[in-house]
Amino acid sequence: MNIDGLLVWLRSQGDRVPRRVIEECARRGDAMAERLAGIIRDADAWDEYESEEQWLHAFHAVHVLGLMDSALAGEALTHAMRCDPDDVGGSSLGRLALAEWPAFFRNKPAQVLIGLSSRLQDRSEGSHARTCAMYVLLEHAVRTNEQPLEELLDAIAALAGNAEEDLDFRLLAGDTLLDFPRPRHRELLRQLAEHPCDFHYFDTRDVEEIYAEGCDIHVWDKYTDPWRFYEPAALHEREQEREQLARRHAYASSLPLVRETPKVGRNDPCPCGSGKKYKKCCLDAER
């Protein structure tokens, strides 16, 4: 197939796309990356409540770009980070855990990571995009030692402690620092834990328990292969779920309708309490 044919087929298959097709799309290089970047730039693609098919098309685009090692693919993925679940109908890449993003950037050139460092410091970016960048940079620092981990943690702590920053981002940054419990950040995390907010991130008990354990947690280790979504076992599992759902729906449709309240007969006393028969009172009004 040419690129157009692949993209049409990819969209038509929904969540039944096998991994070999994702890998074949990635082999098409920058010509394919440019097309996928266009899909990601289409903001409507991220609203799954508008179109599940459209959302999956963009979802596939992210996974194809994650296999590509070009700067163009990295730039397209960086743009995808901006699709905040809270900004696009509550849907979007919420299906992608924050810790999945490092896997998509492991093969990207250094210039892409430099761009993510700038994004982390940019207050005009949304909290979701900045937190995604934070995870990618931390994973890279732990894995390669090219950027000193302690310097990066201190930079994140400075953002978390800055009262001029968005509160949600400060709490997300603090939650990330809990995965790397350093004594110098303990008081900051206690203060953040006591900060009133609408959503629970962590509390002082969490801080004390994590510092008592005192070990680093690399949450992205559980998400080293997001392409498992396309493996035969995952495809088979989703197919079974669809079949079970269809059987439950068919069974529910075959059941007789059960009224919540008994049916009122034409000659029964009217439920309104008038003393008249139902047919001479509210039945006529309902008609």
Side-chain angles (χ1 to χ4, degrees):
M1 291 183 177
N2 59 21
I3 289 177
D4 286 335
L6 272 172
L7 291 176
V8 169
W9 190 89
L10 199 67
R11 182 162 186 160
S12 70
Q13 296 303 301
D15 65 355
R16 295 179 171 90
V17 177
R19 184 164 181 162
R20 66 180 182 275
V21 175
I22 298 297
E23 292 172 347
E24 177 58 32
C25 288
R27 280 193 286 271
R28 301 303 177 95
D30 279 353
M32 174 65 82
E34 289 178 0
R35 297 291 299 278
L36 298 177
I39 293 171
I40 286 174
R41 283 193 295 268
D42 180 3
D44 291 338
W46 300 104
D47 191 347
E48 65 177 311
Y49 299 115
E50 185 70 25
S51 169
E52 178 74 5
E53 176 190 285
Q54 196 174 27
W55 184 89
L56 275 168
H57 200 38
F59 179 86
H60 298 324
V62 167
H63 286 77
V64 173
L65 290 164
L67 292 175
M68 296 178 169
D69 60 4
S70 67
L72 179 59
E75 291 167 4
L77 285 172
T78 300
H79 185 87
M81 286 180 173
R82 293 177 177 169
C83 302
D84 191 324
D86 295 331
D87 292 340
V88 211
S91 61
S92 75
L93 289 175
R95 287 187 185 179
L96 287 174
L98 287 168
E100 284 187 84
W101 284 97
F104 299 130
F105 282 86
R106 286 198 184 107
N107 59 352
K108 300 301 182 285
Q111 67 199 73
V112 174
L113 296 173
I114 293 172
L116 289 179
S117 296
S118 299
R119 168 159 294 187
L120 178 59
Q121 300 291 336
D122 188 352
R123 292 183 194 171
S124 67
E125 294 285 357
S127 297
H128 183 263
R130 297 176 75 186
T131 308
C132 289
M134 187 189 310
Y135 271 70
V136 173
L137 294 169
L138 280 169
E139 189 273 345
H140 181 75
V142 170
R143 178 169 49 87
T144 66
N145 292 319
E146 291 179 5
Q147 178 181 8
L149 175 62
E150 299 307 316
E151 288 183 10
L152 179 57
L153 291 174
D154 287 344
I156 294 171
L159 295 171
N162 188 345
E164 296 181 1
E165 290 282 356
D166 176 76
L167 178 58
D168 280 338
F169 175 68
R170 292 179 64 197
L171 292 170
L172 284 165
D175 194 46
T176 303
L177 287 173
L178 279 176
D179 293 336
F180 299 86
R182 301 297 188 263
R184 61 186 182 276
H185 302 149
R186 188 169 187 165
E187 184 57 33
L188 167 64
L189 293 174
R190 281 179 180 156
Q191 293 173 10
L192 287 172
E194 295 171 353
H195 208 295
C197 62
D198 295 331
F199 183 78
H200 175 77
Y201 289 89
F202 57 93
D203 55 33
T204 52
R205 184 175 62 178
D206 295 325
V207 174
E208 297 307 319
E209 289 178 353
I210 289 171
Y211 269 86
E213 295 175 3
C215 58
D216 290 1
I217 300 172
H218 301 157
V219 292
W220 48 78
D221 286 345
K222 298 179 181 179
Y223 301 93
T224 56
D225 186 12
W227 298 275
R228 285 181 295 180
F229 181 87
Y230 303 98
E231 294 289 355
L235 297 176
H236 179 66
E237 182 179 350
R238 289 197 293 277
E239 198 61 43
Q240 285 187 317
E241 289 174 354
R242 275 190 287 268
E243 291 174 0
Q244 291 173 3
L245 183 63
R247 284 196 294 269
R248 287 197 296 268
H249 179 72
Y251 175 72
S253 300
S254 68
L255 295 176
L257 177 65
V258 178
R259 294 179 179 272
E260 295 182 2
T261 57
K263 181 179 179 181
V264 181
R266 288 169 50 82
N267 292 312
D268 291 340
C270 189
C272 75
S274 67
K276 299 179 182 179
K277 289 186 178 181
Y278 179 52
K279 66 182 179 181
K280 294 293 185 180
C281 188
C282 289
L283 179 60
D284 285 337
E286 290 170 2
R287 285 174 174 168

